[in-house]
């Protein structure tokens, strides 16, 4: 079904493109140098545009140039190059992505957005990455903030925020097509057309279809995890006045993703369909004052072997910034979100209440104070949020920035953030065999007594440019966690040789996470650029009173590799050839303290050879994970992990 829809979408768009491509404006295949990188502006860390180098937070920006030369074909694979993020592929269509620990298939302490629209599911707290097979060529940049972001973005931004920002319609004029054919990417094609209506209205429409092959099972043969997706959408930007911009954008998608359910080994297919519409109006009152109003509607339908979920989400968000006094910049805003679901469980999974609406209302205020002009600034603020599960939450932060000159920046911060309970934390009912105790079955039931998980994070960082072609970025953190989720046994009944355990969720874990992150860029020559990153992460947890969930404690401590680094080279060769490599190394991981289910330390090498045949035509040969097939993650709660194979593909990119 997905393949048929994909062909229909691409054929339809091709006809539109052919009929309208006359007079299209060409988009340059531009490259960024180190000076450009130093001047990059980010908005996610402070909800205002400011140089990344002057941001009082641990920030990484993946630019569109890095995306183009990475060879990656998915968002998670792009995120591998961010120090502090833990990325592991579970099978052909599933990833475990987290920040600063707690890595899992559904990592619940990392908030991910696309153009400010949250894609974090409130059902089980996590991201279904197979639903978000975006057209990478239309992404302007990916801003990654490691550390709490709750003061501006609200609950669940506990250890990080990822904001995927797409290009404006003005930046995507003309026709662009990209086709990839390879061993795993059997076919991955996308087309986009951008045009104008008069002088002030620009638009684009796009379509994408991808057909990915099965990975290899660790038991031999295909892993039955192939993945097909089709996606289409558009964006319109209306420059209503010199100071006012209105944006309307939307997408719909349909994806089929097979996977094998662990530990029973049942093979099934997940079907994901949905769409979204977002409208944003922004106005610049003066050089120091602006406002924006954003509304979006999002619909998701997930039909899998274990659950069927229909979800409709409506969100409104308002923001205003102004300068009340000289040396002050005040940003405030308010938001409301309503999310309605209809859920039915299968294979031993159930929910109390088949339908429910969850509401979240919020208000935030942040003040940036120039204590000493061009030297010392203080940013303080807080988010105030009311939700249906844990009630009223306050997420304050204080950040200090010191910029003695253009080559040195120091910052430090203290923040509180929370992960509020998901629908599943309160209403789920699971019946399953125990993975640790023989002849034992567990019945896990959600609890209304489960409260929000919280962190008090202490961070500091230092950025420097010791030489003109070199930049270094250091970050250190200590996270003090409390009220972490545990699954506790409340009663146990023997039935002959079988034992039945009744379990529920409590907040009986606490602990500390700490670590460091380093990122470096070195423009060695005009044709050679080196980049790299390293991070160390460790989490130590302990039981609170009456707590005894060793599985949750051990998983948090051992499932995230403690060390990881990457080294990238970008070489511009004669005759417009490009040669890029990135080597990743990841420390071992385990699912418990005895290392009985251990994933060995492993390396991954991605390579790309590109040739700009003409200014608007590029061909590439890409090899991903070329060293050897390897397992990157252990079996998760519902997914049997596959070996990630070597894969190769050829790509043609044409801009008209």
């Amino acid at each position: 079904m997905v393949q048929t829809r994909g062909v229909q979408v691409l054929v339809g768009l091709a006809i539109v493109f052919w009929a309208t491509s006359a007079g299209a404006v060409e988009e340059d295949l531009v490259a960024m140098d180190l000076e450009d990188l130093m001047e990059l502006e980010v908005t996610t860390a402070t909800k205002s545009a400011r140089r990344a180098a002057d941001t009082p937070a641990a920030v990484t920006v993946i630019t569109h140039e890095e995306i183009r030369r990475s060879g990656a074909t998915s968002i998670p694979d792009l995120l591998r190059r961010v120090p502090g993020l833990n990325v592991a592929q579970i099978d052909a269509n599933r990833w475990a992505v987290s920040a600063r620990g707690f890595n899992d298939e559904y990592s619940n302490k990392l908030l991910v957005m696309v153009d400010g629209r949250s894609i974090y599911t409130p059902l089980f707290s996590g991201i279904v990455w197979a639903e978000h097979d975006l057209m990478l060529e239309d992404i302007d940049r990916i801003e990654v903030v490691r550390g709490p972001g709750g003061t501006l973005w609200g609950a669940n931004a506990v250890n990080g925020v990822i904001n995927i920002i797409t290009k404006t319609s003005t930046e995507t004029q003309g026709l662009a097509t990209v086709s990839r054919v390879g061993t795993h990417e059997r076919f991955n094609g996308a087309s986009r057309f951008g045009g104008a209506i008069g002088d002030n209205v620009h638009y684009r429409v796009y379509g994408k279809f991808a057909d990915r092959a099965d990975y290899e099972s660790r038991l031999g043969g295909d892993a039955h995890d192939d993945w097909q997706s089709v996606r289409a959408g558009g964006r319109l930007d209306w420059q209503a006045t010199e100071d006012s911009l209105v944006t309307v954008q939307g997408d719909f998608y349909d994806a089929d993703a097979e996977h094998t359910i662990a530990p029973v080994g049942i093979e099934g297919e997940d079907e994901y369909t949905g769409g979204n519409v977002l409208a944003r109006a922004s106005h610049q009152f003066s050089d120091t004052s602006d406002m924006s109003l954003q509304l979006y509607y999002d619909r998701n339908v997930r039909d899998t072997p274990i659950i069927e979920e229909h979800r409709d989400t409506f969100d409104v968000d308002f923001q205003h910034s102004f300068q009340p006094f000289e040396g002050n910049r005040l940003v405030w805003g308010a938001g409301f979100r309503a999310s309605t679901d209809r859920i039915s469980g299968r294979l031993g999974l159930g929910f109390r209440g088949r339908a429910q609406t969850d509401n979240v209302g919020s208000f935030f205020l942040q003040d940036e104070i120039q204590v000493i002009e061009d030297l010392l600034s203080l940013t303080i603020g807080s988010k105030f949020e009311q939700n249906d599960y844990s009630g009223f939450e306050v997420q304050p932060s204080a950040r200090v920035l010191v910029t003695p000159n253009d080559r040195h920046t120091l910052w430090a911060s203290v923040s509180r953030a929370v992960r509020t309970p998901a629908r599943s934390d309160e209403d789920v009912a699971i019946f399953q065999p125990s993975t640790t105790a023989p002849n034992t079955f567990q019945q896990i039931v959600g609890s209304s007594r489960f409260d929000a998980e919280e962190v008090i994070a202490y961070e500091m960082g230092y950025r420097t440019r010791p030489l003109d072609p070199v930049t270094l970025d250091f970050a250190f953190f200590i996270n003090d966690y409390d009220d972490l989720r545990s699954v506790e046994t409340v009663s146990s009944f023997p039935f002959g040789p079988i034992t039945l355990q009744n379990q529920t969720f409590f907040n009986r874990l606490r602990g500390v996470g700490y670590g460091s992150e380093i990122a470096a860029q070195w423009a060695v020559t005009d044709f050679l650029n080196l980049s790299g990153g390293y991070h160390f992460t460790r989490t130590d947890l302990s039981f609170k009173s009456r707590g005894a969930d060793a599985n949750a404690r051990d998983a948090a401590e051992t499932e995230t590799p403690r060390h990881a680094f990457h080294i990238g080279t970008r070489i511009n060769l004669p005759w417009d050839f490009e040669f890029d490599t990135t080597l990743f190394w990841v420390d071992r991981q385990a699912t418990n303290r005895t290392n009985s289910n251990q994933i060995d330390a492993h390396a991954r090498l991605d390579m790309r050879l590109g040739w700009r045949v003409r200014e608007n035509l590029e061909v590439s040969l890409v090899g991903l994970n070329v060293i050897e097939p390897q397992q990157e993650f252990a079996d998760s709660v519902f997914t049997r992990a596959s070996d990630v194979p070597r894969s190769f593909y050829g790509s043609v990119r044409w801009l008209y």
Side-chain angles (χ1 to χ4, degrees), residues 10 71-73 137 177-190 208-213 618-624 646-653:
L10 291 181
T73 59
E137 289 72 20
T177 64
V178 181
S179 298
R180 302 181 180 92
V181 177
T183 56
H184 176 60
E185 298 284 341
R186 290 188 292 215
F187 178 75
N188 186 333
K208 177 180 180 180
F209 172 71
D211 179 17
R212 278 112 173 180
E618 175 188 285
V619 297
S620 303
L621 295 174
V622 176
L624 302 177
R646 299 184 183 94
S647 65
F648 303 88
Y649 71 82
S651 170
V652 178
R653 184 184 185 209

Side-chain angles (χ1 to χ4, degrees), residues 118-175:
S118 173
I119 59 174
Y120 182 99
T121 173
L123 174 62
F124 48 79
S125 302
I127 308 297
V128 180
W129 291 103
E131 292 179 350
H132 307 289
D133 190 21
L134 307 183
M135 183 173 173
L136 302 185
E137 289 72 20
D138 280 355
I139 296 176
D140 180 65
R141 63 191 187 277
I142 301 175
E143 297 182 358
V144 180
V145 180
R146 293 110 58 194
T151 299
L152 296 175
W153 299 104
N156 310 319
V158 176
N159 283 346
V161 180
I162 296 174
N163 195 6
I164 302 164
I165 300 172
T166 62
K167 298 176 182 176
T168 66
S169 299
T170 310
E171 297 171 308
T172 51
Q173 292 292 283
L175 176 60

Side-chain angles (χ1 to χ4, degrees), residues 416-656:
R416 178 183 187 268
V418 299
R419 200 278 287 185
T420 54
R423 171 91 142 91
S424 57
D425 291 319
E426 184 163 314
D427 296 327
V428 76
I430 305 172
F431 186 78
Q432 63 182 20
S434 171
T435 57
T436 56
N439 300 323
T440 301
F441 288 83
Q442 299 165 328
Q443 178 171 279
I444 305 173
V445 178
S447 171
S448 60
R449 290 176 295 179
F450 176 71
D451 206 352
E453 301 176 303
E454 74 163 32
V455 64
I456 305 293
Y458 306 88
E459 302 175 272
M460 63 179 297
Y462 172 54
R463 299 186 188 95
T464 181
R465 192 176 182 183
L467 302 171
D468 284 343
V470 177
T471 65
L472 299 171
D473 188 347
F474 303 87
F476 309 91
F477 68 93
I478 299 175
N479 289 344
D480 185 3
Y481 298 105
D482 200 2
D483 291 334
L484 296 178
R485 184 176 64 184
S486 61
V487 182
E488 309 290 352
T489 300
V490 294
S491 61
S492 183
F493 303 98
F495 293 94
I498 303 298
T499 300
L500 174 63
Q501 294 179 338
N502 290 316
Q503 300 181 324
T504 191
F505 298 121
F506 286 95
N507 300 85
R508 292 179 179 173
L509 282 171
R510 67 194 317 170
V512 176
Y514 54 94
S516 59
E517 297 145 3
I518 304 171
Q521 293 267 358
W522 181 18
V524 182
T525 67
D526 292 339
F527 59 86
L528 173 62
N529 185 288
L530 301 179
S531 61
Y534 163 81
H535 71 252
F536 165 73
T537 304
R538 178 163 179 164
T539 305
D540 294 325
L541 300 187
S542 60
F543 301 129
K544 297 180 69 174
S545 174
R546 295 185 293 170
D549 185 359
N551 290 334
R553 179 200 61 188
D554 293 359
E557 292 183 346
T558 60
E559 281 193 345
T560 302
R562 289 186 179 177
H563 302 271
F565 71 82
H566 75 272
I567 300 173
T569 63
R570 210 168 67 189
I571 305 173
N572 297 323
L573 298 170
W575 303 294
D576 292 326
F577 279 89
E578 300 168 336
F579 183 65
D580 310 306
T581 65
T582 307
L583 174 68
F584 303 91
W585 182 87
V586 179
D587 201 1
R588 67 180 176 85
Q589 67 163 85
T591 57
N592 53 54
R593 288 183 171 181
T594 62
N595 297 329
S596 60
N597 190 8
Q598 179 174 307
I599 305 299
D600 294 333
H602 54 273
R604 170 188 172 114
L605 178 62
D606 294 348
M607 307 175 70
R608 171 185 173 273
L609 176 64
W611 179 32
R612 293 185 179 183
V613 183
R614 295 165 49 186
E615 184 179 4
N616 61 346
L617 176 63
E618 175 188 285
V619 297
S620 303
L621 295 174
V622 176
L624 302 177
N625 188 38
V626 299
I627 297 176
E628 62 177 352
Q630 59 205 344
Q631 183 183 354
E632 294 188 353
F633 202 75
D635 291 347
S636 63
V637 176
F638 293 113
T639 303
R640 177 175 290 171
S642 307
D643 281 346
V644 179
R646 299 184 183 94
S647 65
F648 303 88
Y649 71 82
S651 170
V652 178
R653 184 184 185 209
W654 197 349
L655 308 178
Y656 296 87

Side-chain angles (χ1 to χ4, degrees), residues 204-498:
R204 71 164 178 261
V205 291
Y206 79 94
K208 177 180 180 180
F209 172 71
D211 179 17
R212 278 112 173 180
D214 292 296
Y215 279 2
E216 298 175 4
S217 169
R218 307 195 316 272
L219 305 178
D222 290 342
H224 299 287
D225 55 2
D226 63 340
W227 173 28
Q228 293 82 39
S229 69
V230 59
R231 191 175 190 92
R235 171 169 174 156
L236 183 145
D237 293 297
W238 172 33
Q239 192 71 51
T241 69
E242 185 178 351
D243 300 318
S244 301
L245 176 66
V246 177
T247 297
V248 179
Q249 63 187 80
D251 314 86
F252 78 83
Y253 60 87
D254 187 349
D256 293 341
E258 291 192 334
H259 83 283
T260 302
I261 300 171
V264 290
I266 297 175
E267 296 170 2
E269 182 176 88
D270 300 342
E271 296 182 16
Y272 307 116
T273 58
N276 62 84
V277 178
L278 180 148
R280 183 188 308 110
S282 56
H283 181 74
Q284 184 90 28
F285 296 105
S286 66
D287 291 341
T288 58
S289 178
D290 59 68
M291 60 78 68
S292 68
L293 176 65
Q294 174 179 287
L295 304 94
Y296 71 76
Y297 166 74
D298 198 328
R299 176 169 176 77
N300 302 96
V301 178
R302 301 181 178 110
D303 189 359
T304 79
I306 58 174
I307 194 171
E308 181 176 349
E309 177 193 9
H310 298 252
R311 180 169 296 279
D312 297 275
T313 301
F314 174 77
D315 184 283
V316 56
D317 184 81
F318 174 78
Q319 176 183 316
H320 177 215
S321 69
F322 61 103
Q323 189 172 353
F325 310 104
E326 186 69 25
N328 274 60
R329 184 176 183 279
L330 200 64
V331 185
W332 69 276
F336 175 78
R337 179 179 302 161
S339 185
T340 300
D341 63 41
R342 287 186 293 113
I343 300 172
S344 57
R346 301 162 179 157
L347 291 179
L349 179 69
F351 279 84
R352 275 196 298 258
R354 285 177 52 85
Q356 182 169 306
T357 297
D358 297 327
N359 300 313
V360 179
S362 64
F363 174 84
F364 81 91
L365 180 69
Q366 179 174 279
D367 191 10
E368 181 182 331
I369 306 164
Q370 290 290 330
V371 181
I372 302 175
E373 187 174 2
D374 297 329
L375 176 63
L376 175 63
S377 67
L378 171 66
T379 303
I380 56 175
S382 182
K383 187 94 170 185
F384 307 92
E385 194 169 277
Q386 176 71 35
N387 69 85
D388 292 342
Y389 294 101
S390 61
F392 188 67
E393 299 287 353
V394 180
Q395 300 181 77
S397 72
R399 298 179 182 273
V400 175
L401 179 72
V402 180
T403 51
N405 54 52
D406 289 341
R407 290 185 178 272
H408 302 279
T409 301
L410 298 98
W411 61 271
S413 69
V414 181
S415 313
R416 178 183 187 268
V418 299
R419 200 278 287 185
T420 54
R423 171 91 142 91
S424 57
D425 291 319
E426 184 163 314
D427 296 327
V428 76
I430 305 172
F431 186 78
Q432 63 182 20
S434 171
T435 57
T436 56
N439 300 323
T440 301
F441 288 83
Q442 299 165 328
Q443 178 171 279
I444 305 173
V445 178
S447 171
S448 60
R449 290 176 295 179
F450 176 71
D451 206 352
E453 301 176 303
E454 74 163 32
V455 64
I456 305 293
Y458 306 88
E459 302 175 272
M460 63 179 297
Y462 172 54
R463 299 186 188 95
T464 181
R465 192 176 182 183
L467 302 171
D468 284 343
V470 177
T471 65
L472 299 171
D473 188 347
F474 303 87
F476 309 91
F477 68 93
I478 299 175
N479 289 344
D480 185 3
Y481 298 105
D482 200 2
D483 291 334
L484 296 178
R485 184 176 64 184
S486 61
V487 182
E488 309 290 352
T489 300
V490 294
S491 61
S492 183
F493 303 98
F495 293 94
I498 303 298

